């Protein structure tokens, strides 16, 4: 069985990236004499605009920060990876993340990390945090040609594990996958509504857990059961 698993927000806290984005924001802010938070908030707003368009550029932080710098009158090219490599060793996966990957492999299944983050960033994170030794591949929007909303992203997979109701539940369900959601379902539904204006309250994942450690305990039974049996 091929299991797809998300990265940011699923195996790794979204907040792990905060020092990277702050550092880049401070670099731009120092050129235009504004508080770094102004740059950071402008980048987040542009990210939201692009997310609503379902464009791959929404996940290209080099483009986003370079465009923000341009808007503030600074013609500079941003390379987020030069900052990422300074901080990535301090990224802390969620408790149980490595154990979950290891267990899925021990159960005889293949794992592909399916993330909306671009390959140039996520490959660094996956390698540095030790995820690479447990996986069979990586799927990213720049590799597939679309965000995690097209059939190609879920090709040949039977299960999707993730934290985003839209990309990790709604679309995978559309393409016939069993879905395992991790996190606060109602909080993440509000996030989807805020960004895309899409009400997903009428759908539900096949399985839902509050954190990775809960999934770790349940995954053997899930993968050995009928995918349509959501009694756990």
């Amino acid at each position: 069985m091929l299991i797809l698993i998300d990265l940011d927000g699923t195996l790794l806290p979204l907040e792990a990236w905060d020092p990277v984005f702050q550092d880049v924001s401070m670099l731009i802010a120092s050129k235009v004499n504004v508080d770094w938070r102004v740059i950071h908030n402008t980048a987040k707003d542009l990210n939201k605009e692009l997310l609503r368009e379902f464009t791959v550029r929404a996940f290209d932080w080099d483009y986003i920060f370079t465009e923000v710098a341009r808007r503030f009158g600074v013609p500079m090219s941003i390379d987020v990876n030069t900052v990422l490599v300074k901080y990535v060793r301090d990224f802390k996966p969620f408790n149980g993340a490595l154990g979950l990957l290891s267990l899925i492999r021990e159960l005889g299944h293949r794992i592909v990390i399916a993330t909306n983050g671009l390959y140039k960033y996520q490959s660094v994170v996956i390698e540095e945090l030790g995820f690479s030794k447990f996986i069979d591949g990586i799927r990213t929007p720049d590799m597939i040609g679309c965000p995690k909303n097209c059939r190609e992203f879920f090709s040949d997979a039977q299960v999707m594990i993730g934290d985003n109701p839209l990309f990790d539940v709604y679309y995978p369900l559309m393409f016939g996958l069993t879905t395992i959601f991790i996190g606060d379902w109602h909080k993440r539904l509000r996030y989807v509504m805020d960004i895309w204006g899409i009400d997903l309250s009428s759908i539900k994942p096949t399985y839902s857990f509050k954190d990775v450690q809960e999934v770790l305990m349940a995954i053997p039974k899930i993968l050995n059961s009928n995918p349509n049996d959501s009694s756990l």
Side-chain angles (χ1 to χ4, degrees):
M1 185 183 296
L2 175 59
I3 314 296
L4 303 181
I5 186 163
D6 179 52
L7 182 59
D8 296 320
T10 301
L11 297 175
L12 178 73
L14 295 169
E15 295 77 18
W17 280 88
D18 287 352
V20 177
F21 293 148
Q22 178 175 338
D23 199 315
V24 175
S25 298
M26 291 177 68
L27 174 64
I28 299 171
S30 68
K31 305 291 185 182
V32 295
N33 197 30
V34 299
D35 189 276
W36 70 269
R37 296 172 186 83
V38 174
I39 302 297
H40 187 249
N41 289 335
T42 303
K44 288 200 299 183
D45 289 343
L46 178 54
N47 171 244
K48 288 182 180 180
E49 291 176 23
L50 296 171
L51 283 171
R52 294 184 181 111
E53 298 173 6
F54 290 96
T55 172
V56 174
R57 271 190 164 176
F59 313 101
D60 187 344
W61 290 99
D62 289 359
Y63 166 76
I64 289 171
F65 278 108
T66 297
E67 173 62 17
V68 168
R70 186 194 67 78
R71 292 181 183 184
F72 278 84
V74 182
M76 58 191 299
S77 180
I78 300 298
D79 181 1
V80 170
N81 268 6
T82 61
V83 180
L84 173 61
V85 296
K86 291 166 51 180
Y87 294 101
V88 68
R89 291 183 181 179
D90 294 323
F91 283 15
K92 303 297 182 186
F94 282 120
N95 290 335
L98 289 168
L100 177 62
L101 298 179
S102 177
L103 179 56
I104 293 172
R105 286 295 294 270
E106 288 175 12
L107 292 171
H109 303 291
R110 294 180 295 131
I111 303 170
V112 166
I113 289 183
T115 168
N116 271 327
L118 300 192
Y119 183 84
K120 58 185 175 181
Y121 312 128
Q122 305 297 52
S123 59
V124 174
V125 175
I126 289 166
E127 183 65 32
E128 191 61 45
L129 298 187
F131 296 146
S132 57
K133 62 185 176 183
F134 299 110
I135 68 172
D136 298 277
I138 307 170
R139 294 183 185 180
T140 63
D142 47 323
M143 297 173 68
I144 302 297
C146 59
K148 223 173 357 176
N149 65 350
C150 62
R151 182 178 297 275
E152 292 81 0
F153 228 110
F154 307 102
S155 177
D156 301 320
Q158 289 73 46
V159 178
M160 179 73 224
I161 304 173
D163 72 304
N164 188 300
L166 185 61
F167 294 116
D168 299 322
V169 178
Y170 177 78
Y171 287 114
L173 286 175
M174 180 185 296
F175 298 118
L177 279 70
T178 294
T179 57
I180 300 174
F181 175 81
I182 304 175
D184 184 330
W185 177 249
H186 296 289
K187 180 179 179 180
R188 297 296 282 161
L189 284 180
R190 291 193 294 271
Y191 168 77
V192 172
M193 177 62 77
D194 177 57
I195 299 296
W196 293 278
I198 300 173
D199 182 2
L200 295 181
S201 59
S202 62
I203 72 161
K204 65 177 183 177
T206 316
Y207 304 96
S208 182
F209 300 94
K210 68 177 182 180
D211 57 35
V212 174
Q213 289 180 304
E214 280 195 354
V215 180
L216 183 59
M217 297 296 293
I219 201 70
K221 184 175 180 180
I222 291 174
L223 298 184
N224 289 323
S225 70
N226 184 332
N228 295 318
D229 176 9
S230 57
S231 61
L232 285 178

